[in-house]
Amino acid sequence: MVKRESHSSDHLTGGSHRRIMTTKLATAIAAFFLLASIAVIIAIATVQVKRRTYLSPGLKYGIVLDAGSSRTTVYLYQWPAEKENNTGVVTQTSKCQVKGPGISEMNPGAWNSLKKCMEDIANAIPTNQHESTPIFLGATAGMRLLQQKSQKMSDDALLKIQKYLQTLPFDFHNASIISGQEEGLYGWITVNYLKGNFLEKNIWNAWIHPLGAQTVGSLDLGGASTQIAFTAPPDTRGADLIKVSLYGYEYNVYTHSFLCYGKNEAEKKVLAELVKMSSNSSRINHPCYPLGYNITIPGDNIYDSECTKNSIPPSYTRENQFTFFGHSDPAKCKTLVKRIFDLNSCQGNEHCSFSGVYQPPVTGDFMAYAGFYYTAEALDIKGSNSLEKFNSTVWSFCTMDWKTLKKNYNITEKHLKSYCYSANYVYTILADGYKFNASNWEKLDFQKEVNKTSIAWSLGYMLAQSNMIPAEAKLLKLPISKSVFATLLFLFSALTIITLMFLIIKLVQMFY
């Protein structure tokens, strides 16, 4: 009997031991799953928050028509939809030159060319973004002159082009005549934007304001007006100073536009000056034209302009013609060109350019483009050069006769005959007008493009307009999709709760 009881007691003790070991093992496994579940929940939550990225919502597009005095150019720009500090990071996508005259004299050929340009622009923009793509037209000095001559003619020309633009599948904003001051400011914005003076990418591919960046002055020469713009000291005040905010920074910009001092209109003023100085309309000596060249010009081509109407001779009739004979005389050409500038009103005043216009002293580097560049390119003095080289090159060019010029330069005769005048005009306005001299002439950089993008007011205009185009929020990209994240979170949360309850029950059983 005693032996049986002992065996039974041993059997009970062994079974109890096994149950205890099983409970401990189950508790250990439950504790492991609890800790693992908590770790997984923390891990996926951390990855979901810390590793999320933002994607650009895509690109926005904008179209600007630069309606100049002699031609119209269509530009297509694009920028990321989310923008940087309320200003778009804009790049030029394409450019189309409309063949024919400006919008004030549009003929059937010019209209067909414009329509072809707009077709090409439309093909470059995704179809689903046509309706959201803004289109602007800015008319410059040519239309400003027409407006002075006839408000009705100016309004009719704008209305006609506006009606056409409104038929296109884009978001038409406006067709307007921009002021000379706006044209100068937008040119300055373009130059500095392209030079990277507003923004640059750091090593993390983020846009930042360049440390210690200096802005560059802008010199624009069109057919009917010319513009100068540069930053002035913050405390400088005047009618031609504008506060402009770009990418979160504010700039104090001096800008002035001289109407009637574009290359083409200024040349009419030179011709009118020669007529006034001559007594024989059939033989007028022109020191800027090359020797051996002569041309007969209808009087309307000189005097049918707001810029020369006050120079009409007393006996002039619309039937008058004037014949000019070239003389290849650089000294007399320089003197002649200087006569069209009112420099006397600024004598003794260092803060004055010409015609009594206030101007702070020019400082820093300047980019000279458009007509400035084309003149420098023709004479092979583009880029930066000394004043001595500029003058010697101009002198050499202006002493050549017509036969030599045609032999040495592959330039159309229409333009070749006038480059001596153009070069002397460039010297006069820069040296006598804006007060550039031998010490700072090399700070002038005659260029057409920067980073394969045209230097034109239209890019600055698009940048300014992008301030008023609402930005779109960046698109959030999560490393784990929402559905997978929710499923994992539910499963491991459930596992955590179950294991935690299991451990609590076992803990209670141990003490009770």
Side-chain angles (χ1 to χ4, degrees):
M1 290 291 294
V2 174
K3 286 182 181 179
R4 273 190 218 131
E5 287 176 2
S6 177
H7 178 74
S8 175
S9 176
D10 290 342
H11 178 73
L12 289 172
T13 302
S16 176
H17 179 72
R18 282 194 299 273
R19 283 196 299 274
I20 291 171
M21 290 301 295
T22 301
T23 300
K24 287 182 177 181
L25 180 62
T27 303
I29 292 173
F32 170 78
F33 276 108
L34 174 63
L35 295 174
S37 299
I38 293 172
V40 170
I41 290 171
I42 293 172
I44 62 173
T46 301
V47 169
Q48 191 76 330
V49 172
K50 299 293 184 182
R51 295 299 180 90
R52 62 185 178 181
T53 56
Y54 291 93
L55 299 178
S56 170
L59 295 171
K60 279 183 175 288
Y61 296 86
I63 304 167
V64 180
L65 282 79
D66 175 1
S69 59
S70 57
R71 68 177 63 86
T72 299
T73 306
V74 185
Y75 295 93
L76 174 62
Y77 298 108
Q78 67 179 36
W79 65 94
E82 68 275 11
K83 304 199 291 186
E84 295 289 333
N85 287 327
N86 296 319
T87 308
V89 182
V90 180
T91 55
Q92 179 181 310
T93 301
S94 62
K95 166 186 172 183
C96 186
Q97 194 86 50
V98 177
K99 297 175 183 177
I103 63 170
S104 61
E105 301 173 339
M106 291 281 280
N107 55 35
W111 277 108
N112 290 335
S113 179
L114 174 60
K115 290 173 182 177
K116 178 64 170 61
C117 279
M118 297 314 301
E119 287 177 10
D120 294 341
I121 293 294
N123 291 334
I125 303 172
T127 305
N128 65 335
Q129 289 187 256
H130 280 184
E131 290 186 0
S132 62
T133 297
I135 183 168
F136 310 87
L137 180 141
T140 55
M143 286 295 287
R144 292 199 290 272
L145 285 174
L146 181 62
Q147 192 176 45
Q148 285 186 9
K149 183 178 183 179
S150 170
Q151 184 70 50
K152 184 179 184 306
M153 290 175 66
S154 170
D155 291 344
D156 289 346
L158 278 178
L159 183 60
K160 192 172 183 180
I161 195 86
Q162 177 177 318
K163 285 182 177 179
Y164 165 69
L165 296 177
Q166 288 175 326
T167 66
L168 300 175
F170 306 117
D171 179 18
F172 175 79
H173 276 227
N174 65 60
S176 62
I177 300 173
I178 65 171
S179 70
Q181 193 175 58
E182 288 175 316
E183 188 175 358
L185 176 63
Y186 295 144
W188 176 85
I189 292 173
T190 296
V191 166
N192 286 281
Y193 177 79
L194 293 178
K195 294 284 286 183
N197 295 332
F198 296 141
L199 284 179
E200 67 178 7
K201 280 193 174 181
N202 61 15
I203 58 174
W204 295 282
N205 209 37
W207 290 104
I208 61 170
H209 185 75
L211 182 64
Q214 298 294 315
T215 59
V216 175
S218 165
L219 295 166
D220 181 11
L221 176 57
S225 70
T226 186
Q227 287 74 232
I228 180 172
F230 58 95
T231 49
D235 58 345
T236 308
R237 296 290 180 269
D240 291 317
L241 285 143
I242 302 174
K243 295 284 186 183
V244 57
S245 180
L246 286 164
Y247 303 104
Y249 287 80
E250 192 172 80
Y251 302 87
N252 191 34
V253 183
Y254 169 84
T255 176
H256 190 86
S257 175
F258 293 91
L259 191 61
C260 291
Y261 282 91
K263 192 164 69 71
N264 298 338
E265 292 299 327
E267 186 169 14
K268 293 177 184 177
K269 291 164 77 76
V270 167
L271 294 174
E273 192 67 24
L274 282 172
V275 171
K276 185 172 69 174
M277 296 163 57
S278 176
S279 58
N280 184 1
S281 63
S282 63
R283 188 171 187 88
I284 303 173
N285 295 331
H286 196 323
C288 303
Y289 282 167
L291 186 66
Y293 175 85
N294 65 81
I295 184 174
T296 299
I297 300 176
D300 278 359
N301 289 11
I302 301 174
Y303 297 110
D304 192 19
S305 166
E306 292 298 293
C307 301
T308 53
K309 67 179 184 180
N310 294 330
S311 302
I312 297 176
S315 59
Y316 170 76
T317 64
R318 296 181 68 88
E319 290 75 29
N320 284 155
Q321 293 186 326
F322 303 93
T323 303
F324 298 89
F325 288 81
H327 268 240
S328 296
D329 191 330
K332 287 185 178 179
C333 180
K334 180 178 288 188
T335 301
L336 170 65
V337 172
K338 203 169 181 178
R339 287 174 64 96
I340 71 170
F341 291 87
D342 174 15
L343 300 171
N344 294 327
S345 57
C346 286
Q347 281 186 352
N349 185 354
E350 62 177 349
H351 294 165
C352 185
S353 53
F354 61 95
S355 297
V357 174
Y358 165 79
Q359 176 195 294
V362 291
T363 56
D365 297 331
F366 276 76
M367 185 78 74
Y369 53 99
F372 287 115
Y373 167 80
Y374 292 117
T375 299
E377 180 193 38
L379 276 64
D380 197 25
I381 44 176
K382 60 186 179 182
S384 297
N385 293 284
S386 67
L387 179 57
E388 182 183 4
K389 181 178 180 181
F390 184 92
N391 282 335
S392 63
T393 302
V394 172
W395 187 276
S396 175
F397 182 91
C398 289
T399 55
M400 294 183 195
D401 61 25
W402 186 231
K403 184 177 179 180
T404 305
L405 280 177
K406 289 193 292 182
K407 180 181 177 181
N408 293 350
Y409 294 89
N410 184 25
I411 300 173
T412 59
E413 293 187 5
K414 175 185 176 182
H415 297 107
L416 183 60
K417 68 174 175 59
S418 293
Y419 274 123
C420 176
Y421 144 74
S422 299
N424 278 283
Y425 166 89
V426 168
Y427 170 82
T428 303
I429 195 168
L430 295 180
D432 297 314
Y434 300 148
K435 309 301 186 292
F436 285 95
N437 51 45
S439 66
N440 60 7
W441 193 271
E442 291 185 20
K443 292 183 177 293
L444 291 166
D445 190 9
F446 294 84
Q447 294 293 344
K448 177 185 178 183
E449 298 178 335
V450 175
N451 297 326
K452 297 182 180 180
T453 298
S454 303
I455 305 172
W457 66 264
S458 52
L459 175 54
Y461 181 80
M462 191 71 257
L463 284 163
Q465 291 298 326
S466 74
N467 275 333
M468 294 175 278
I469 298 171
E472 293 182 10
K474 292 182 178 181
L475 302 176
L476 176 64
K477 182 182 179 182
L478 299 172
I480 305 172
S481 69
K482 289 183 178 180
S483 58
V484 173
F485 177 74
T487 301
L488 290 174
L489 191 62
F490 173 77
L491 290 175
F492 283 99
S493 295
L495 185 59
T496 300
I497 293 170
I498 291 170
T499 52
L500 181 61
M501 290 179 64
F502 176 81
L503 290 172
I504 291 172
I505 292 170
K506 289 300 178 183
L507 189 63
V508 170
Q509 289 176 346
M510 285 176 62
F511 290 99
Y512 296 96

